[in-house]
Amino acid sequence: MIYLNTKNKWKIFLTIFIGKILLINTSAYSCEDLNYEKAIILIETQSKTKEKIVVELADTTKKRKQGLQCRNKIPKQEGMLFIWKKADYRVFWMKKTYVPLDIIFLDQNKQIIDFFLNAKPMDQSSIISNGKAKYVLEINAGEFKNLDLKLGQKLNFFSDLN
């Protein structure tokens, strides 16, 4: 079990509080038809085979706020990669998200530092990273296990996504 010091507890609380206020104030804009660029993430499995995930890039505030909301289906081995300029604690929720998701938190070195499996559709509970993440990958629920992903594993995607 990881114990957070008081400074981190307040930082997480403030992140959740401010994040929810921003999401409430922008919820009217959450289902726009945005144009997401796509990229490929390569994953080397334990059996040394290579798998790929085609991701849409959520690299702006507007795209990150909308994410995968309002979608009824996400094709197998596809998802969304959220990108920020700096690593920080990340907070997600499933409001207006109709598909169960695995949410994977990656640090600045593109290593898996935390994950949340089978996030429930329409759930407004906060999902908070246990460490500072620069990238967050959302894929269909069950894909994390199907791809045999592990904590500390590095994912390969293009360096121009920094």
Side-chain angles (χ1 to χ4, degrees):
M1 175 176 269
I2 298 174
Y3 293 96
L4 299 174
N5 63 35
T6 306
K7 181 179 175 183
N8 285 345
K9 284 181 184 177
W10 279 107
K11 190 172 192 175
I12 290 171
F13 172 77
L14 288 173
T15 302
I16 294 168
F17 182 74
I18 292 169
K20 286 215 177 189
I21 288 172
L22 290 173
L23 287 169
I24 290 167
N25 290 339
T26 60
S27 62
Y29 305 104
S30 63
C31 292
E32 294 180 47
D33 188 19
L34 300 176
N35 185 24
Y36 292 90
E37 291 181 46
K38 291 190 177 186
I40 294 175
I41 296 177
L42 296 175
I43 300 168
E44 189 171 321
T45 64
Q46 302 299 325
S47 61
K48 301 297 181 194
T49 61
K50 295 214 188 259
E51 297 283 343
K52 72 176 183 176
I53 300 174
V54 176
V55 292
E56 293 176 280
L57 303 177
D59 54 358
T60 66
T61 301
K62 192 174 197 176
K63 289 177 182 178
R64 286 190 296 264
K65 283 181 183 176
Q66 180 168 311
L68 291 172
Q69 292 183 88
C70 306
R71 306 220 187 159
N72 293 315
K73 183 179 179 186
I74 302 164
K76 186 176 178 177
Q77 289 190 284
E78 290 191 18
M80 184 166 287
L81 182 66
F82 296 78
I83 304 166
W84 288 267
K85 290 186 191 299
K86 293 181 181 178
D88 205 345
Y89 293 94
R90 302 295 172 201
V91 180
F92 279 69
W93 67 350
M94 297 289 290
K95 183 178 180 178
K96 293 186 186 177
T97 306
Y98 306 123
V99 180
L101 298 173
D102 288 345
I103 302 172
I104 305 160
F105 301 93
L106 306 150
D107 66 12
Q108 67 277 1
N109 298 317
K110 303 171 188 167
Q111 288 184 301
I112 299 173
I113 59 164
D114 195 11
F115 57 88
F116 187 91
L117 303 181
N118 199 27
K120 305 281 185 260
M122 308 301 286
D123 189 354
Q124 293 187 42
S125 301
S126 297
I127 299 167
I128 308 165
S129 63
N130 279 326
K132 292 184 177 185
K134 183 175 178 181
Y135 309 98
V136 177
L137 174 62
E138 289 185 339
I139 52 180
N140 282 306
E143 293 275 341
F144 186 88
K145 288 183 180 176
N146 290 342
L147 294 166
D148 201 23
L149 296 172
K150 306 275 185 240
L151 278 176
Q153 183 173 355
K154 185 173 181 172
L155 302 186
N156 298 309
F157 45 91
F158 305 104
S159 61
D160 61 335
L161 299 181
N162 294 322

